[in-house]
């Protein structure tokens, strides 16, 4: 897995969760039943700022090192600041699934995460859907999207200071253009699992 070049910060990012839902529509009444399953994933469109020649070379070599859709990389959602430090935060109990995560080892009796914060658990980027306040023992339940795809082990760290998604390109390359010594690029990617 590659690391996104720290020297290149996107000028804009558009994140979206693609849910794993299926619709069943009656051919007689057009009523619908919707079934939801784990397996939702993130998509992201990235526009890069104007790049000088050195930055363009760095970005070009990074994209080509991925070998199209085959390579994976860590992508950080720079569009949101991380939550303030509020303890260690780890998974409390193995075998958890679905849209809630029971956790422990937070600073007691404090708002530890805010609605809209991102966290990474076992390599999966998750969005916090409600403010999270720890109890007097430092335990907290986090409502998340998308649902957990793989149950994290007991004691797995909650990365809330530098959350990331493991991504891959959705196409074999990236769109880039050069005018003299200045370049720009945009690319699309989706969560890899």
């Amino acid at each position: 897995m590659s690391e996104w070049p720290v020297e290149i910060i996107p000028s804009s990012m558009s994140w979206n969760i693609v849910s794993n839902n299926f619709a069943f529509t009656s051919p007689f009444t057009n009523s619908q039943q919707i079934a939801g399953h784990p397996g939702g994933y993130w998509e992201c469109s990235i526009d890069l700022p104007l790049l000088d020649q050195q930055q363009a070379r760095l970005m070009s070599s990074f994209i080509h090192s991925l070998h199209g859709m085959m390579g994976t990389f860590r992508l950080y959602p720079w569009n949101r600041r991380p939550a303030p430090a509020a303890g260690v935060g780890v998974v409390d109990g193995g075998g958890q699934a679905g849209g809630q995560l029971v956790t422990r080892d937070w600073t007691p009796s404090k708002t530890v995460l805010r609605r809209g914060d991102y966290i990474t658990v076992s390599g999966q980027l998750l969005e916090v859907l409600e403010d999270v306040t720890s109890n007097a023992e430092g335990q907290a339940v986090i409502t998340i999207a998308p649902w957990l795809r793989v149950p994290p082990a007991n004691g797995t760290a909650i990365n809330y200071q530098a959350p990331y998604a493991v991504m891959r390109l959705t196409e074999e390359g990236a769109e880039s253009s050069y005018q003299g010594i200045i370049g720009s690029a945009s690319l699309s990617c989706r969560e890899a699992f």
Side-chain angles (χ1 to χ4, degrees):
M1 180 181 340
S2 299
E3 288 288 332
W4 180 272
V6 295
E7 302 87 346
I8 309 292
I9 300 211
S11 57
S12 68
M13 301 178 87
S14 174
W15 290 85
N16 180 47
I17 294 175
V18 178
S19 297
N20 191 16
N21 297 333
F22 298 95
F24 304 95
T25 304
S26 166
F28 305 107
T29 64
N30 282 326
S31 64
Q32 287 188 316
Q33 290 184 332
I34 309 297
H37 303 280
Y41 61 90
W42 290 94
E43 288 182 327
C44 186
S45 298
I46 302 168
D47 290 317
L48 300 177
L50 291 178
L51 305 172
D52 64 29
Q53 191 173 37
Q54 183 58 33
Q55 291 171 319
R57 292 166 64 95
L58 177 65
M59 199 64 214
S60 173
S61 64
F62 168 73
I63 290 169
H64 294 141
S65 74
L66 297 173
H67 301 286
M69 295 186 299
M70 189 171 70
T72 60
F73 59 97
R74 283 188 180 98
L75 182 62
Y76 299 86
W78 289 281
N79 58 334
R80 297 208 187 143
R81 294 186 186 275
V88 178
V90 297
V91 173
D92 189 14
Q96 297 185 53
Q100 286 193 329
L101 188 60
V102 179
T103 62
R104 67 176 190 272
D105 295 347
W106 297 102
T107 303
S109 304
K110 180 178 180 177
T111 299
V112 295
L113 295 168
R114 301 161 300 191
R115 170 184 240 158
D117 283 342
Y118 289 129
I119 61 174
T120 300
V121 179
S122 299
Q124 183 178 356
L125 181 67
L126 305 164
E127 184 175 21
V128 176
L129 300 182
E130 299 173 355
D131 288 346
V132 179
T133 302
S134 61
N135 65 17
E137 288 79 42
Q139 298 167 317
V141 176
I142 307 169
T143 305
I144 52 170
W147 291 350
L148 292 166
R149 286 189 298 269
V150 176
N154 183 45
T156 299
I158 311 292
N159 178 348
Y160 67 99
Q161 292 290 290
Y164 63 89
V166 177
M167 305 295 274
R168 75 174 70 252
L169 297 176
T170 55
E171 300 172 358
E172 289 301 321
E175 180 182 325
S176 55
S177 63
Y178 298 93
Q179 296 176 353
I181 60 170
I182 301 294
S184 64
S186 61
L187 53 106
S188 297
C189 51
R190 67 154 279 175
E191 197 171 6
F193 56 92

